[in-house]
Amino acid sequence: MKLTDNVLRSFRVAKVFRENSDKINCFDFSPNGETVISSSDDDSIVLYDCQEGKPKRTLYSKKYGVDLIRYTHAANTVVYSSNKIDDTIRYLSLHDNKYIRYFPGHTKRVVALSMSPVDDTFISGSLDKTIRLWDLRSPNCQGLMHLQGKPVCSFDPEGLIFAAGVNSEMVKLYDLRSFDKGPFATFKMQYERTCEWTGLKFSNDGKLILISTNGGFIRLIDAFKGAVLHTFGGYNNSKAVTLEASFTPDSQFIMIGSEDGKIHVWNGESGMKVAVLDGKHTGPITCLQFNPKFMTFASACSNMAFWLPTIDD
């Protein structure tokens, strides 16, 4: 089944889960699409089975809290950043709920965490104005970049380069093998006076970069030339909430939630809005991602919703 405007318009909430007592900060699908893991301000990590559509288990990180969470390549391990005590990143085995390793180094909150799609490398960006490069097998930082402002960062789909959005005004591209030589490309954007960049993602085909903000718009840029292709707006975000924007796996569509519980979807090529879907969320939709392998997506406020299409075009 192929994603089209009509199929996207037909998506409806199939299941709602109320496992959390506070907002969901982050979630991540496993690479095979079979499970999704979430982190919440209530200090819980909830693992859901996407095929059966139900929560599988809940773990707690009471001492450190849990903010950003990412699957590694082993299905039963995750890395996550904390929001209490310190800014160390933790590597957790879900199988026995034990820490495998700690990654200390950041001195302020971690605001970006991206796992390499091809190996055990990951990168983190922090309000301490650094990006750190790590390897799951070592607690020592493998690389450190000092920047002029708050960074958002992400790997490209081949794991060869990573992009850093710095100070809400420029995108820098680094080659993983020689990042210490500095960026091989820098795209200067118009400075966003009204809002901050909150996230950066590559499309699966590697051709596009999506910049999310805590304002009322997101930007789509050409990953090779840095030109702004489209600016998408018209959704509600008056309280400067960090709303996650995402590509669909085919790189064709861009979606974002809003503070009024609706999801807005655009066609990346034409720039036209193709759907506004009502998730009936009780709060702002802070997290939104399409499943990498199955025709479903998830959205979250303090509740988690799984969506399915109601037509098969």
Side-chain angles (χ1 to χ4, degrees):
M1 184 171 163
K2 207 162 144 297
L3 265 185
T4 62
D5 294 8
N6 281 340
V7 170
L8 272 166
R9 278 193 277 269
S10 83
F11 270 85
R12 298 292 178 268
V13 174
K15 278 209 169 149
V16 179
F17 305 100
R18 298 179 176 84
E19 304 296 303
N20 296 101
S21 59
D22 209 330
K23 87 173 174 76
I24 292 169
N25 293 323
C26 183
F27 64 72
D28 193 38
F29 283 101
S30 57
N32 62 12
E34 288 170 14
T35 61
V36 64
I37 196 157
S38 70
S39 57
S40 165
D41 269 354
D42 64 12
D43 303 334
S44 72
I45 295 170
V46 183
L47 182 67
Y48 297 87
D49 184 315
C50 296
Q51 286 163 308
E52 291 183 23
K54 61 181 193 201
K56 267 167 76 158
R57 55 190 292 223
T58 301
L59 307 172
Y60 289 94
S61 178
K62 291 277 187 216
K63 185 175 173 187
Y64 303 110
V66 53
D67 194 2
L68 301 177
I69 193 161
R70 298 283 179 256
Y71 270 109
T72 66
H73 297 290
N76 55 358
T77 61
V78 292
V79 286
Y80 72 85
S81 64
S82 311
N83 50 17
K84 294 201 278 199
I85 299 193
D86 64 20
D87 300 287
T88 296
I89 296 165
R90 293 178 168 80
Y91 181 21
L92 177 70
S93 163
L94 302 172
H95 167 66
D96 49 8
N97 196 17
K98 291 209 164 60
Y99 292 116
I100 302 167
R101 198 161 282 114
Y102 297 118
F103 304 98
H106 285 302
T107 55
K108 287 187 177 167
R109 192 163 77 93
V110 173
V111 290
L113 191 60
S114 177
M115 192 75 214
S116 161
V118 294
D119 61 22
D120 285 335
T121 314
F122 68 97
I123 50 174
S124 57
S126 160
L127 294 179
D128 64 16
K129 300 183 183 174
T130 65
I131 289 175
R132 286 176 180 263
L133 180 68
W134 310 89
D135 187 303
L136 284 173
R137 294 159 296 195
S138 161
N140 304 321
C141 174
Q142 306 293 303
L144 174 64
M145 269 158 297
H146 291 274
L147 302 155
Q148 297 86 40
K150 166 189 160 179
V152 287
C153 54
S154 182
F155 277 100
D156 84 313
E158 274 154 6
L160 297 173
I161 66 168
F162 63 89
V166 187
N167 216 24
S168 305
E169 61 178 338
M170 59 186 107
V171 175
K172 293 171 179 278
L173 301 182
Y174 295 86
D175 186 314
L176 198 59
R177 289 154 306 192
S178 57
F179 69 90
D180 46 338
K181 296 189 173 66
F184 65 83
T186 299
F187 308 138
K188 190 101 167 60
M189 307 278 150
Q190 189 183 333
Y191 179 61
E192 317 292 4
R193 281 179 191 78
T194 54
C195 62
E196 278 189 3
W197 292 1
T198 52
L200 181 150
K201 289 182 183 179
F202 278 90
S203 56
N204 274 346
D205 63 10
K207 294 177 181 170
L208 304 166
I209 293 173
L210 181 59
I211 298 169
S212 35
T213 73
N214 63 1
F217 64 89
I218 51 182
R219 288 200 201 288
L220 187 66
I221 69 169
D222 181 304
F224 301 108
K225 303 190 184 81
V228 175
L229 302 173
H230 296 290
T231 300
F232 303 119
Y235 57 90
N236 289 350
N237 188 15
S238 61
K239 298 185 180 73
V241 179
T242 296
L243 302 172
E244 181 179 22
S246 288
F247 286 101
T248 50
D250 61 6
S251 309
Q252 301 302 306
F253 299 94
I254 288 96
M255 24 196 340
I256 193 170
S258 64
E259 67 184 5
D260 58 8
K262 291 188 171 60
I263 290 169
H264 296 250
V265 187
W266 294 268
N267 181 310
E269 199 162 353
S270 69
M272 299 295 288
K273 188 173 286 188
V274 296
V276 179
L277 306 167
D278 192 353
K280 301 194 168 48
H281 277 282
T282 51
I285 300 176
T286 45
C287 307
L288 175 69
Q289 276 179 42
F290 218 93
N291 187 303
K293 293 285 185 274
F294 300 103
M295 191 56 88
T296 172
F297 68 84
S299 60
C301 54
S302 58
N303 301 334
M304 171 78 100
F306 283 7
W307 299 68
L308 290 169
T310 50
I311 57 164
D312 29 289
D313 219 20

